[in-house]
């Protein structure tokens, strides 16, 4: 009997500890029958709630964590508020005012006010990055101190604890944004010792830090690899160094390897083999693995230094020309079509590049249209003249796309004088200096 009584008491305790549903209720003034849309930030869903004839509405659902949310009626402006789990939130939306107004008289009033202030804490609008990480860090330490004063004024102890953690996490994330400025300056991402110390201090055993920082930290670590090290090898090594658990390491490696293989992002034979090792260990579907191995083999065959894959073109007189006919020249090829807006946007830049090499006997800049018909191509050439060599494919580019493993245009390629690949995914002519550097390096 004692055992039965103990079990019953335990069950009663569990039931009594179960979190109450969260309620969002209120009124809409000036509505025309449009429902209320309530959405939350932390993936707790979007709910469409009917408005009753008297203008009232009510939503009841389980929301396990504090979260920012927004309410919107019809096409009106979204209005922000904060949700406290298990509490009743009363919101009155007035559509007759300009702008639309929101009155919050239930739970979360203080939290909503703080959240609206906190949004500016995370903003870089108008922010001028200083020249050193220390100064940048000091700026956000000051913002943090101001925010924590407001947090400490909140009535709820739970809210104070939650927002204290949020402010500290946001402070560290905003400090991390300094890396964007370093990248913009063209400097190594590990060039500031103070940033390096901050980087090393981030505790990745905490789940929130994993969500906020881990992917960016892996990229930083990879970008700072030794010169000549394959990108994929460096990325996989960075995962090993930074991810705190084997389960997380395996998951990140699998995700990276699959994405890289499907996107054809193979930078060396060694790197390709490393990607295949990851998927071989992570996947069991023989057909999928066969496809991945074929993709990597194809990508490796298209790496710089390998022989080009020859193909046929048609000139404006519909005479056949082969890529191999250009052997002895560095070839920069622009694959485009009249229906491709991004392609057409590159035409003025292509003209500048073609003009630079117009008199060069050892460089050919050519454009190859993937249009279905000559008339479509010629109409485009009349609309925007292109006075460098123009060609077309007989099958709207299908053969070339299959040979070189791409599915979208614009696409640019560079081959050297000996018919070797320089790049099958070369910079667009808009990046003039990068194009010139590759062409000159192949002359």
């Amino acid at each position: 009997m004692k055992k039965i009584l103990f079990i019953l008491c335990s069950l009663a305790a569990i039931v009594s500890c179960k979190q109450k549903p969260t309620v969002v209720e209120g009124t809409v003034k000036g509505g025309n029958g449009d429902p209320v849309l309530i959405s939350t930030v932390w993936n707790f869903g979007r709910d469409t709630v009917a408005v009753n004839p008297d203008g009232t509405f009510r939503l009841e659902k389980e929301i396990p964590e504090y979260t920012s949310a927004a309410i919107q009626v019809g096409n009106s402006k979204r209005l922000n508020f904060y949700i406290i789990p298990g509490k009743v939130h009363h919101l009155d939306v007035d559509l007759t005012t300009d702008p639309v107004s929101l009155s919050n008289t239930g739970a979360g009033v203080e939290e909503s006010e703080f959240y609206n202030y906190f949004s500016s804490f995370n903003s870089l609008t108008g922010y001028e990055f200083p020249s050193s990480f220390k100064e940048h860090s000091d700026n956000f330490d000051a913002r943090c101190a101001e925010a924590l004063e407001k947090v400490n004024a909140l009535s709820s102890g739970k809210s104070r604890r939650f927002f204290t953690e949020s402010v500290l996490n946001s402070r560290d994330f905003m400090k991390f944004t300094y890396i964007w400025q370093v990248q913009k300056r063209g400097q190594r991402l590990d060039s500031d010792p103070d940033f390096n110390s901050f980087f090393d201090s981030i505790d990745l055993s905490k789940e929130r830090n994993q969500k906020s920082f881990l992917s960016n930290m892996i990229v930083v670590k990879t970008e700072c690899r030794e010169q000549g090290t394959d990108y994929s090898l460096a990325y996989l090594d960075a995962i090993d160094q930074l991810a705190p658990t084997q389960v997380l390491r395996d998951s990140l490696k699998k995700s990276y390897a699959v994405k890289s293989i499907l996107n054809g992002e193979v930078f060396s034979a060694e790197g390709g083999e490393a990607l295949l090792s990851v998927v071989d260990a992570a996947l069991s579907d023989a057909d999928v693995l066969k496809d991945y191995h074929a993709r990597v083999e194809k990508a490796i065959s298209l790496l710089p230094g390998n022989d080009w894959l020859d193909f046929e073109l048609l000139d404006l007189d519909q005479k056949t020309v082969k890529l191999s006919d250009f052997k002895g020249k560095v070839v920069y090829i622009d694959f485009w079509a009249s229906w491709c807006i991004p392609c057409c946007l590159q035409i003025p830049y292509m003209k500048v590049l073609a003009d630079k090499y117009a008199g060069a006997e050892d460089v050919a800049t050519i454009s190859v249209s993937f249009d279905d018909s000559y008339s479509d191509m010629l109409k485009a050439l009349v609309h925007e003249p292109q006075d460098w060599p123009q060609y077309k494919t007989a099958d709207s580019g299908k053969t070339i796309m299959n040979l070189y493993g791409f599915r979208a245009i614009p696409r640019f390629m560079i081959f050297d004088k000996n018919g070797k690949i320089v790049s099958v995914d070369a910079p667009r002519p808009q990046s003039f200096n990068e194009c010139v550097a590759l062409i000159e390096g192949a002359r």
Side-chain angles (χ1 to χ4, degrees), residues 201-267:
S201 73
I202 297 172
D203 184 358
L204 290 173
S205 66
K206 294 181 178 179
E207 188 175 347
R208 276 187 175 270
N209 283 349
Q210 292 171 21
K211 292 178 180 178
S212 298
F213 299 109
L214 183 54
S215 60
N216 285 323
M217 291 177 72
I218 291 169
V219 171
V220 170
K221 202 84 170 174
T222 304
E223 291 291 342
C224 296
R225 66 192 182 280
E226 290 185 16
Q227 189 172 5
T229 302
D230 175 83
Y231 187 94
S232 294
L233 292 175
Y235 195 98
L236 295 171
D237 185 56
I239 291 174
D240 280 332
Q241 292 182 49
L242 295 171
T245 68
Q246 189 61 49
V247 171
L248 184 55
R249 288 193 286 273
D250 290 343
S251 174
L252 289 171
K253 285 183 176 182
K254 175 186 171 184
S255 176
Y256 173 75
V258 169
K259 178 181 74 70
S260 297
I261 291 171
L262 292 178
N263 290 340
E265 295 171 347
V266 177
F267 307 104

Side-chain angles (χ1 to χ4, degrees), residues 162-327:
F162 175 81
F163 280 114
T164 294
E165 184 178 2
S166 296
V167 167
L168 294 175
N169 282 330
S170 292
R171 176 201 63 185
D172 289 343
F173 180 79
M174 296 309 290
K175 286 184 177 184
F176 201 91
T177 61
Y178 182 76
I179 208 68
W180 303 342
Q181 185 66 9
V182 175
Q183 194 170 36
K184 188 176 178 181
R185 294 180 191 140
Q187 299 172 326
R188 277 184 61 94
L189 301 187
D190 57 357
S191 60
D192 189 312
D194 291 319
F195 176 80
N196 297 340
S197 297
F198 165 72
F199 184 98
D200 292 337
S201 73
I202 297 172
D203 184 358
L204 290 173
S205 66
K206 294 181 178 179
E207 188 175 347
R208 276 187 175 270
N209 283 349
Q210 292 171 21
K211 292 178 180 178
S212 298
F213 299 109
L214 183 54
S215 60
N216 285 323
M217 291 177 72
I218 291 169
V219 171
V220 170
K221 202 84 170 174
T222 304
E223 291 291 342
C224 296
R225 66 192 182 280
E226 290 185 16
Q227 189 172 5
T229 302
D230 175 83
Y231 187 94
S232 294
L233 292 175
Y235 195 98
L236 295 171
D237 185 56
I239 291 174
D240 280 332
Q241 292 182 49
L242 295 171
T245 68
Q246 189 61 49
V247 171
L248 184 55
R249 288 193 286 273
D250 290 343
S251 174
L252 289 171
K253 285 183 176 182
K254 175 186 171 184
S255 176
Y256 173 75
V258 169
K259 178 181 74 70
S260 297
I261 291 171
L262 292 178
N263 290 340
E265 295 171 347
V266 177
F267 307 104
S268 72
E270 189 179 3
E273 291 301 323
L275 295 175
L276 288 176
S277 294
V278 172
V279 295
D280 284 344
L283 304 175
S284 57
D285 189 311
D287 290 335
V288 171
L289 287 171
K290 182 179 179 181
D291 175 57
Y292 285 0
H293 276 257
R295 286 172 181 267
V296 170
E297 183 179 346
K298 180 72 169 179
I300 290 173
S301 74
L302 296 173
L303 289 171
N306 288 328
D307 291 334
W308 61 20
L309 305 176
D310 204 6
F311 52 80
E312 292 186 347
L313 303 171
L314 299 171
D315 65 16
L316 294 181
D317 295 323
Q318 300 193 36
K319 294 180 180 178
T320 301
V321 176
K322 290 186 175 182
L323 175 61
S324 54
D325 292 338
F326 292 93
K327 198 164 186 178

Side-chain angles (χ1 to χ4, degrees), residues 31-52:
N32 59 2
D34 287 329
V36 171
L37 177 66
I38 298 172
S39 53
T40 58
V41 170
W42 294 113
N43 300 321
F44 301 132
R46 292 160 56 93
D47 295 276
T48 301
V49 185
V51 177
N52 299 316

